[in-house]
Amino acid sequence: MADTGSSASGRRMWCSVPERLQLHMAMLALQFGYAGFHVVSRAALNMGISKLVFPVYRNIIALILLLPFAYFLEKKERPAITLNFLLQFFVLALIGITANQGFYLLGLDNTSPTFASAIQNSVPAITFLMAALLRIEKVRLDRKDGIAKVIGTACCVVGASVITLYKGPAIYSPVPPLQRPDSMFVTLGDAKGKNWSLGCIYLIGHCLSWSGWLVLQAPVLKKYPARLSVTSYTCFFGIIQFLVIAGFAERDPQAWMFHSGGELFTILYAGVVASGIAFAVQIWCIDRGGPVFVAVYQPVQTLVVAIMASIALGEEFYLGGIIGAVLIIIGLYLVLWGKSEERKLSQERAVIQSPPEHSNRTSTHIKTSLTQPLLPSSTENV
């Protein structure tokens, strides 16, 4: 009885918190969760977990978590499945799961969690570039929002190139307190003896795959408007594809077994926190705050990863990586600002073109959006 009363009191306290503050708190928690995933993934690789086994277990856990929600919440809006839809889900899995996660692990193994997170900030710019090349999005160089998106994309490309081609001297080399003989982190550290440039190329492949998945997902969701179901099908086909690859490339049965509690923890964290809880929180934040609001927090993740990796893994920071990360973050905010300005212009145009009887209602909505441009009542997909 006391437990019921305390839980009800907790819910009332959370409901009394303004929604805008709830969104900021949720986004900060989300960035900490994703930041932990970068560090945990690197820990898993350094423990010796196979790059094929890790994503298989991660996606199995994610699928188990997603399936009930997809089945019950999207019963009414889920169209009948056809062979054409299955082929589209297979392609989405090939790009968004298999290539995306495979390139990420290969890149992370050769670089570091901080720079893997830093390069991910270029995904919005790469997505814009792909959409422009495929004529899904128009490039308006006669408007400030169009110019901002082009300059932002160029900054991201230059930043990624700097990280790849110029490592530079180490400007910070911490001595981690966790590197003791009795610590699970004893063998963890920076990617010494690995090919940094090759790792950055893999990470660029990861970002290209991620952006391609976002671009190709949009037309699929228009025909099959059930996001959780699309993600579940994609996850299922991704598991099948990884299993087929593992059948040829990973023949050691011991690779599929857990040899320590640390290995089990890294896989559970990747599946439950990074793929399950984080996905649910991100959907809620996009629904309430809009995609621009969610994307603005991405650089916070890079900062948190840098702190975590420095403390736990003893990660070194190099000049080329710092310069590249700064350029990518500048490019990210230019692209996001351009998208925000473009949305405002389209909303203002909608007010002008709307019928008189709807003008009062529409103008009120636009006023709210202009006052809080990062918190529109949007359900637009990322």
Side-chain angles (χ1 to χ4, degrees), residues 357-366:
E357 61 268 21
H358 299 296
S359 60
N360 291 334
R361 184 175 61 186
T362 312
S363 62
T364 304
H365 171 73
I366 300 303

Side-chain angles (χ1 to χ4, degrees), residues 41-49 108-109 187-190 194 313:
S41 297
R42 180 54 188 274
L45 294 176
N46 286 3
M47 286 177 196
I49 296 179
L108 182 65
D109 190 42
T187 60
L188 307 185
D190 208 9
K194 301 292 182 75
L313 307 181

Side-chain angles (χ1 to χ4, degrees), residues 198-363:
L198 182 62
C200 290
I201 291 170
Y202 282 137
L203 288 175
I204 291 171
H206 155 64
C207 293
L208 288 170
S209 303
W210 190 352
S211 298
W213 174 70
L214 291 173
V215 171
L216 294 175
Q217 186 181 218
V220 174
L221 286 170
K222 285 183 180 178
K223 299 174 188 175
Y224 200 94
R227 184 180 180 86
L228 290 173
S229 299
V230 169
T231 306
S232 298
Y233 277 116
T234 304
C235 206
F236 170 76
F237 282 117
I239 293 168
I240 300 299
Q241 290 165 9
F242 268 121
L243 284 173
V244 170
I245 297 169
F248 292 98
E250 190 57 81
R251 296 176 179 270
D252 182 10
Q254 288 295 316
W256 297 90
M257 303 175 110
F258 305 119
H259 300 97
S260 68
E263 290 184 6
L264 179 61
F265 170 77
T266 59
I267 288 172
L268 287 174
Y269 186 97
V272 176
V273 178
S275 296
I277 297 172
F279 183 75
V281 172
Q282 185 165 299
I283 286 179
W284 181 79
C285 290
I286 290 171
D287 182 57
R288 298 305 179 108
V292 174
F293 173 76
V294 172
V296 160
Y297 266 87
Q298 178 71 21
V300 175
Q301 180 189 135
T302 304
L303 177 63
V304 176
V305 170
I307 295 170
M308 285 184 176
S310 175
I311 294 171
L313 307 181
E315 182 183 324
E316 295 181 331
F317 301 124
Y318 297 92
L319 181 61
I322 298 293
I323 294 171
V326 170
L327 285 170
I328 288 172
I329 291 171
I330 291 171
L332 168 70
Y333 280 123
L334 282 171
V335 171
L336 293 177
W337 181 84
K339 291 294 292 181
S340 180
E341 288 296 305
E342 182 185 41
R343 189 173 288 111
K344 288 181 194 176
L345 287 170
S346 62
Q347 288 173 342
E348 289 170 1
R349 203 172 286 120
V351 171
I352 295 169
Q353 295 174 354
S354 62
E357 61 268 21
H358 299 296
S359 60
N360 291 334
R361 184 175 61 186
T362 312
S363 62

Side-chain angles (χ1 to χ4, degrees), residues 185-198:
F185 293 97
V186 67
T187 60
L188 307 185
D190 208 9
K192 294 183 183 298
K194 301 292 182 75
N195 192 327
W196 182 274
S197 296
L198 182 62

Side-chain angles (χ1 to χ4, degrees), residues 58-68 232-233 235-236 239:
R58 173 194 174 184
N59 287 296
I60 287 174
I61 294 170
L63 184 60
I64 291 170
L65 292 173
L66 280 172
L67 266 179
S232 298
Y233 277 116
C235 206
F236 170 76
I239 293 168

